[in-house]
Structure formats: structure tokens, C-alpha cells
Amino acid sequence: MSFIYLLFFHTQSHPSLSLSLSLSLRRAPLTPEEKRKKKKDLFFQYIFCHLKASAIFFIFSASTRKTKPTSDSRLRAPTLLSLLYCISRRKKMNREDEETPEPTKGGLITMPFIIANEAFEKVASYGLLPNMILYLMRDYHFGVAKGTNFIFFWSAATNFMPLPGAFIADSYLGRFLTIALGSISSLSGMTLLWLTAMIPRARPPPCDQSTSTCESTSTPQMILLISAFALISIGAGGIRPCSLAFGADQLDRKENPNNKRVLESYFNWYYASAFISVLVALTGIVYTQDHLGWKVGFGIPAILMFFSAFLFVLASPFYVKQKANRSLFTGLAQVIAVAYKNRKLDFPSQDLDGFRCYHQKKGSEFVLPTNKLRFLNKACVIKDPENDITPDGLASDPWSLCTVQQVEELKALIKVIPLWSTGIMLSINVSQTTFPLLQASSMDRHITSSFQIPAGSFGTFTIITLSIWVILYDRVVLPLASKVRGKPVRLGVKLRMGIGLLLSCMAMVVSAIVEHVRRKRALEEGLRENPRAVVGMSAMWLVPQYCLNGFAEAFTAIGQTEFYYSEFPRSMSSIAACLFGLGMAVANLLASAIVSAVDSLTSGTTRISWVSSNINEGRYDNYYWLLAIMSLLNVVYFLFCSWMYGPCTGSGMNVQEQGISSRKEPEVCKVERKLKDELDEREEGKKDPDLKK
């Protein structure tokens, strides 16, 4: 208290110090908020300066004078000295402030937290999927068909939730809050799942081995299990669509000449971490579940998810947090609503005055709508310029008038839907994880006498094959082919998509042949009634089908994603990123429907279902043959859709960059150019005399 009182006393007793403080505030122009924030700091700085000057003066006077200084000189001299010292100190601080830029948020310091959040979430969620069918069958007494459908529904929800998650982030919450809430939701779901393994009463009691009867799952137990999976899916919907873009927000500096290189480096690290995370999940987590049980196997993902959420929230003060804005999904919905509302409206005449009736977004390449899907053009027709358009050129009501760009974005989306649907069959084939897992469990998985590959880890062959082929294709195959032909060689996106679909069909054929041989060997060894017995056949025979699936994904999945980005306007990048996940969600639902249909149609009082829980009695090979036939028909469907679509936009460019006018009549292009010139001159406050006439 005495120190505080001393400071207050010195401030009140020396008006020159108050003058110095006010002078310093005037010398550094600050906003009212900054003054309020820094006034307290300045006060203590100048008090310290005064005390320091006073001490120096008294020491100097004591060493040079034999007589005691008077009270008046003792008061005035340090005050004057402190005033001069404070002003000089303030000048120095001003120079330092000018030389040292104010620290900004974002940057590389945030990258470990964002990448760790995504990596831990992937390890936790992907590590649960491979062995889940075994947990449902052994601990919850699910049959193969019921357990497979349950996993398909969970996967569908996980792949679909990023769509509403992206919409909520863009329109309401922003990316940071969406990721944070998603992390908490995933942590809650994984904790509930871990509790189902820890609490015996959370799942049905073990089966009675003497009577071979199993008690079914009760309603509360089922609610707890479904709640765990639902929370995990909701969490994935918050993290996955926002994580990559949120990291780019931290590094995107338009004024930085190396901005593009920094972003490319970030994307490389991001995808590398995702790749490593999936590998760790399919090996380490699966191995833990096999050897240490479900309690530890589910506990580790829950702990990793805790670190994922904790590290992400910990760095909150350092993040650049973009505010939520209008979502692209809202714009597409507005086009449909306005086009329906204006369905009875006549189209403008095909002259210059008619073209002025379309509402254009300032700076957009889309000046006139195309004639394809012409009924949607009514959404951008201006009915009353005075009431429909605000003075700044925006629509007064977005649900009554849209821009040409919004209309063309919806048309681009509708145009790619047929080709998008051809990739669903590939996703159905790739999502067949439960049946290969049961096959691997019944086969010899030993690499050495003491080590065997976990049944759930065979999916790593797909990921490794995909990664190796992408590197070889980009670094070896294309350069070598270009060198041989003497000119750049590149496979088109539609050709790659078709090759991938054909390889997926071949993967199902190989799966059917291998399963036929495995089942025949099991019956020869008398293991018909013992599905958990190990057949004298190496599980490495399953590797070719996993590798073919990896090649199929490398061609079709990557080619399809590149196709979306090349065909869509740049403003639709988020839609392009979501379409593949949406295709996976639809594929999971259709795969569940196929399994249910096969189970109901092939089972009966005297017949055993193709997808029986007893893998040796079932006919999984026939199920694979069915998928192979469907895949072959899908290849034919793809060829038809590819022919109907026509040529693709040039690689690396999109519709917006190429310009829609290149596909229109010459006279229409002339009108567009005139209209563009007029709009540019209006912005500069000029008038075109030709257009006046």
C-alpha cells in the first residue's frame, strides 16, 4: 500500500509529470479503445521514469554538494530531469514501435495445433472401424448382416455430416467454433463407446455355451451404443470440412510473395499427416484391440481425441478466426426458389436492352446466362430495377433475385451429377470392409512363426498401393511417356475415372475367386460348423484385391476430384470437396440396402443366407460376383454418361477462367463485351455515347 501511495503522491505533487503524460498521449495518436487499453501502462512507465530520474538526481547531488539541498530545489530538479528523461524515453519507444510491427495472429505457430487436431481425430475414428464388426458380433451378438448394416449406417452418417457441418460453419458459427464443438462431440462419443467396454451392464451378457443361446441387446444398451456412434459422426462433421480451410486461413497472406508456396507446403504436410494417421490407425490401434482387448483398444482413441480437442482449444488466442458468411448452399437454394417463383415470367428479348435485365455480380466473369437449363435463367431476371436493385448494385432481396453467377453455379452442379453417380459403385466396393475382415480372420495371417498381421490391418495395402501409384504416376510414368513420345503426355480425367471403375470390377472378380477357393478349402478340412477355425490357406491371397482397390481409388477417386475442380467455377471449391464424401455416404446406404436384399432373398427355412454369420456356410463368393456384375454394368453406364457430357474443360482451368462466352454465338459475345465495357465505365463515372444512342 505504501508503494501505491508513493506513486499516487508523486503524480499529484508533480504537475510536470502529468504534462509529460498528456504530451506523450498527444504524440502517439491512438483510438479511444487503444487509449483506454494503454493509459494504465503509460502511467506506470512514466512513474518509473520519474522515480529513476529522482534517484539519479539525489545520488548526483549528494556526491557533489556538501550542504543539503533545499526542499524547493529537491522538488524542482528531479521534476525537470524526469520530464526531460520521460520525453526522450517516449521518443525512443515511438521509434521502436515504428520499427517493430505489431504482431499478427495466425502463422506457422498455429500449424502444430491444427494438424495435431486432425491427425488425432483420424487415428481415433479410423482405428475404430476395421474391427467394429467383431465387437458387434461377439459382445452385442449381432449377426453379420445386421452388424454390417449398422456399420454402413454409421459410415454413411460420418460421410454425410461434413455437408451440414460446412454449411453451419460458413453461415453461422465460423470454422473455429465448428471444429471446437466437433472435437468435443467426437470426444464424448468415444468416451461413451469406451464405457460400453468398461461397464459390463452396458452390453448383453455372454452367450450360454451349453445351450448356445445369446441374450439380445436391450433398448437402453442399444441407445447408449447408437448415441456413441452418433456423437462421433457429428464430431467428424464439424472437424473434417473445416480443418484444412481453417489451417489455410492462418497462412493465407496475399501480400506475401511466397504465399502460394507456403500454402502448398501446408497442404503437403496436411495430407502427409493424414496418411500417417490412417496408417497408425489401421496398424497400431487395430493391433492393440486384437492383443489388449476392447477396454484398452477403445480407451486409446478416447485419450487421443482428448488431446486433439485440448491442443486445438489451447491455441485459441493465436488463431485467425474468420467470421461466418453466406454459404454457397444458400445461394444454390435461392436459385431454385426464385426460378420457381418466376416460372411464369417471360424471358427478356435477345438484344442489348434484354441483356441488361440480367443481374450480374460486380467483378464476375459471368455476364450472361447460358442457354442450357434455360428455365433457371429466370432467377436472375430483373423485373423492377428501382426496387430489385440497391444503389450499391446488390439485390434488395436475395430470395427474389439472384445473380448470373449463382445460376451458372447451379447449372455446373447439375451437369456433373450423372458422372458423379458413376463413382458410387466404386465406393460400394471399397466400403466392403466387414466381409474381407471375416475372411482374413479365418485364414493364416502369420508372417513369421511369432508374428501375424491383424485381420483389420489388411486395409493398409490399399493405402500403400494408392500412395505408391500416385508418386510413380507423377514422377516416373508421365515423364517417361513424355520422353518416349517427345511431347507432354497426360491421361484425361474421364479416362482415368473409367480405368478406375474397370479396376474396381476386377477387384470384385478376384475377391470372388479367392473366397471360392477359401470356402472350398474350409469344407475339405471339415470346418463347416466352425467359422472361427483357421483354414490352411495364407491370408496373403487377399492382398491382390486390396491392391486393385488401391489402384481403382488412385484412378477414379483422384480423377473425379480433379474433374470437379476443373469443371466448377472457383467459387464452388467447397462443393467440389464435399461431393466425394457425399458419394461415399450414398454408397454406404446403397451397400446396406444390397446386403439386406441379399440376406432376405437368399435365406429361408431350408436355405442359408449368402451373408450368413457362419462364413463357411455362407456364400460370400456369390455376393462378390453380384458386385462384380453390378460394377461391369456401371462401367457401361459411365461410358454413356461420359459421351453425353461431352469434352471436359482444359486441365487446371475452370469454367469461370475459360469464359462462358467462348461457347456462344459471335453476336452474343459482342453484346457481352459492350455490356462489360459499359459496366466498367459506370464504375469510373463515365458514359458511353454509343450505348446512349
Side-chain angles (χ1 to χ4, degrees):
M1 288 297 293
S2 60
F3 181 71
I4 296 174
Y5 176 78
L6 180 64
L7 294 177
F8 179 77
F9 173 78
H10 273 278
T11 308
Q12 296 299 322
S13 60
H14 300 295
S16 60
L17 186 59
S18 300
L19 176 63
S20 172
L21 180 61
S22 61
L23 284 173
S24 66
L25 287 173
R26 283 197 294 271
R27 289 182 62 82
L30 299 172
T31 62
E33 293 79 6
E34 291 174 329
K35 283 184 179 181
R36 206 176 303 117
K37 182 179 179 182
K38 294 186 177 180
K39 191 172 182 180
K40 186 177 180 181
D41 294 337
L42 288 170
F43 170 75
F44 284 107
Q45 289 174 8
Y46 284 105
I47 291 298
F48 175 76
C49 292
H50 177 73
L51 291 175
K52 188 174 181 180
S54 300
I56 294 171
F57 174 79
F58 279 115
I59 293 171
F60 177 77
S61 61
S63 61
T64 56
R65 293 193 180 196
K66 294 181 179 179
T67 59
K68 287 186 177 182
T70 62
S71 61
D72 184 59
S73 65
R74 189 170 54 215
L75 189 65
R76 287 195 305 269
T79 301
L80 181 61
L81 187 60
S82 65
L83 176 61
L84 296 174
Y85 180 83
C86 290
I87 292 174
S88 64
R89 176 67 179 170
R90 183 60 189 170
K91 287 182 179 179
K92 184 179 179 182
M93 291 170 62
N94 286 340
R95 287 195 300 270
E96 290 176 354
D97 290 342
E98 291 175 1
E99 294 172 0
T100 305
E102 192 170 319
T104 57
K105 292 187 176 182
L108 294 175
I109 192 174
T110 61
M111 290 301 100
F113 301 97
I114 297 173
I115 293 178
N117 172 262
E118 175 75 6
F120 284 149
E121 189 274 336
K122 273 188 165 53
V123 172
S125 58
Y126 282 91
L128 296 176
L129 181 62
N131 281 338
M132 189 54 63
I133 185 64
L134 300 178
Y135 182 64
L136 296 177
M137 291 177 63
R138 297 172 184 176
D139 289 68
Y140 279 85
H141 310 153
F142 282 19
V144 170
K146 183 179 179 180
T148 301
N149 286 333
F150 190 92
I151 293 174
F152 277 145
F153 285 131
W154 175 37
S155 299
T158 303
N159 288 314
F160 175 76
M161 287 306 295
L163 277 177
F167 173 76
I168 292 172
D170 291 343
S171 303
Y172 300 104
L173 299 182
R175 294 190 179 112
F176 169 76
L177 194 55
T178 304
I179 295 174
L181 294 177
S183 300
I184 294 172
S185 177
S186 288
L187 175 60
S188 303
M190 291 180 186
T191 303
L192 283 181
L193 185 62
W194 174 65
L195 290 177
T196 62
M198 292 295 296
I199 303 173
R201 297 191 64 181
R203 58 187 187 277
C207 296
D208 188 351
Q209 300 296 333
S210 59
T211 59
S212 299
T213 57
C214 300
E215 186 176 331
S216 60
T217 307
S218 64
T219 301
Q221 292 168 345
M222 201 67 187
I223 291 175
L224 182 64
L225 184 66
I226 293 175
S227 300
F229 286 112
L231 288 171
I232 294 173
S233 296
I234 293 172
I239 297 174
R240 294 181 184 180
C242 303
S243 181
L244 182 64
F246 186 68
D249 290 342
Q250 314 306 311
L251 299 174
D252 194 7
R253 300 287 186 271
K254 298 295 188 295
E255 67 279 2
N256 184 5
N258 296 323
N259 186 53
K260 185 176 180 181
R261 184 176 179 182
V262 171
L263 288 175
E264 287 179 354
S265 178
Y266 162 66
F267 292 146
N268 290 336
W269 278 104
Y270 183 91
Y271 286 115
S273 67
F275 171 75
I276 294 172
S277 300
V278 175
L279 282 182
V280 171
L282 296 180
T283 54
I285 302 298
V286 170
Y287 186 85
T288 302
Q289 292 169 355
D290 283 355
H291 291 79
L292 300 179
W294 303 115
K295 295 179 181 179
V296 179
F298 290 162
I300 291 177
I303 294 172
L304 291 176
M305 198 62 231
F306 168 78
F307 282 111
S308 173
F310 175 74
L311 291 174
F312 181 79
V313 176
L314 182 66
S316 175
F318 304 107
Y319 293 139
V320 173
K321 300 171 184 176
Q322 303 285 357
K323 293 183 179 180
N325 203 346
R326 182 186 69 88
S327 173
L328 182 60
F329 297 103
T330 305
L332 299 178
Q334 287 171 347
V335 174
I336 297 174
V338 178
Y340 178 77
K341 190 184 299 184
N342 297 342
R343 62 190 182 279
K344 296 182 180 179
L345 189 69
D346 294 331
F347 287 103
S349 58
Q350 296 295 319
D351 55 18
L352 188 57
D353 292 330
F355 284 113
R356 286 181 186 144
C357 293
Y358 292 109
H359 178 42
Q360 298 93 14
K361 181 181 178 181
K362 183 186 291 186
S364 173
E365 293 290 332
F366 296 99
V367 177
L368 297 173
T370 58
N371 287 327
K372 292 182 178 180
L373 300 173
R374 192 164 178 256
F375 65 95
L376 293 174
N377 295 351
K378 295 183 178 181
C380 58
V381 174
I382 303 174
K383 295 176 288 186
D384 185 359
E386 295 182 359
N387 296 326
D388 291 348
I389 305 295
T390 60
D392 56 357
L394 300 177
S396 56
D397 182 11
W399 290 96
S400 297
L401 179 64
C402 300
T403 63
V404 176
Q405 179 174 346
Q406 287 177 275
V407 173
E408 292 304 316
E409 286 170 351
L410 181 60
K411 289 181 180 179
L413 179 61
I414 294 174
K415 186 180 178 183
V416 303
I417 286 178
L419 278 174
W420 165 80
S421 64
T422 62
I424 294 177
M425 193 64 224
L426 168 72
S427 300
I428 290 175
N429 295 341
V430 173
S431 64
Q432 304 295 326
T433 58
T434 56
F435 299 115
L437 177 73
L438 296 176
Q439 288 177 271
S441 299
S442 66
M443 301 171 74
D444 183 12
R445 294 174 279 115
H446 281 88
I447 299 297
T448 64
S449 58
S450 58
F451 176 78
Q452 63 178 359
I453 302 176
S457 296
F458 276 81
T460 56
F461 289 105
T462 298
I463 299 173
I464 293 173
T465 303
L466 188 152
S467 304
I468 292 176
W469 171 250
V470 168
I471 296 172
L472 290 177
Y473 175 78
D474 187 53
R475 299 295 181 182
V476 178
V477 176
L478 289 184
L480 186 61
S482 301
K483 188 175 181 180
V484 171
R485 296 197 60 183
K487 61 180 181 179
V489 175
R490 181 182 175 277
L491 296 179
V493 289
K494 290 198 294 184
L495 177 59
R496 279 183 281 158
M497 291 163 61
I499 292 173
L501 296 178
L502 189 60
L503 289 173
S504 178
C505 176
M506 293 174 59
M508 292 300 101
V509 172
V510 172
S511 300
I513 295 173
V514 171
E515 170 56 19
H516 178 77
V517 175
R518 188 213 62 81
R519 182 176 181 272
K520 183 179 179 181
R521 181 74 61 86
L523 296 180
E524 291 175 353
E525 296 178 3
L527 302 176
R528 186 184 187 92
E529 304 295 334
N530 189 4
R532 294 193 180 185
V534 176
V535 180
M537 179 179 177
S538 174
M540 300 306 291
W541 284 103
L542 298 174
V543 172
Q545 68 192 53
Y546 281 104
C547 292
L548 284 172
N549 279 327
F551 283 121
E553 283 198 88
F555 277 99
T556 296
I558 296 176
Q560 202 171 50
T561 303
E562 183 180 337
F563 170 74
Y564 300 145
Y565 276 95
S566 64
E567 295 300 302
F568 283 168
R570 187 172 297 169
S571 57
M572 296 183 67
S573 297
S574 59
I575 296 288
C578 290
L579 274 178
F580 187 76
L582 180 62
M584 287 292 296
V586 175
N588 292 139
L589 294 177
L590 291 178
S592 175
I594 292 172
V595 170
S596 298
V598 169
D599 184 49
S600 61
L601 292 175
T602 60
S603 61
T605 54
T606 59
R607 295 179 300 172
I608 298 176
S609 171
W610 285 3
V611 290
S612 170
S613 299
N614 188 333
I615 187 174
N616 296 330
E617 288 186 340
R619 295 303 304 267
Y620 290 7
D621 52 343
N622 289 347
Y623 175 74
Y624 284 133
W625 281 117
L626 174 63
L627 294 180
I629 294 172
M630 295 175 64
S631 299
L632 184 60
L633 295 176
N634 183 64
V635 172
V636 177
Y637 170 63
F638 167 79
L639 294 175
F640 174 76
C641 292
S642 179
W643 173 74
M644 289 292 295
Y645 188 88
C648 294
T649 306
S651 175
M653 304 182 69
N654 52 41
V655 178
Q656 185 172 341
E657 292 169 335
Q658 290 248 328
I660 302 174
S661 58
S662 62
R663 295 193 297 269
K664 297 180 183 176
E665 297 81 359
E667 58 271 16
V668 176
C669 297
K670 291 178 182 178
V671 174
E672 281 188 337
R673 284 194 294 270
K674 287 184 180 180
L675 187 56
K676 272 189 176 184
D677 294 339
E678 181 187 9
L679 292 174
D680 293 338
E681 289 177 358
R682 282 181 182 177
E683 292 178 3
E684 300 172 359
K686 298 179 181 179
K687 295 289 185 179
D688 189 342
D690 295 336
L691 290 175
K692 269 186 177 181
K693 294 177 184 179

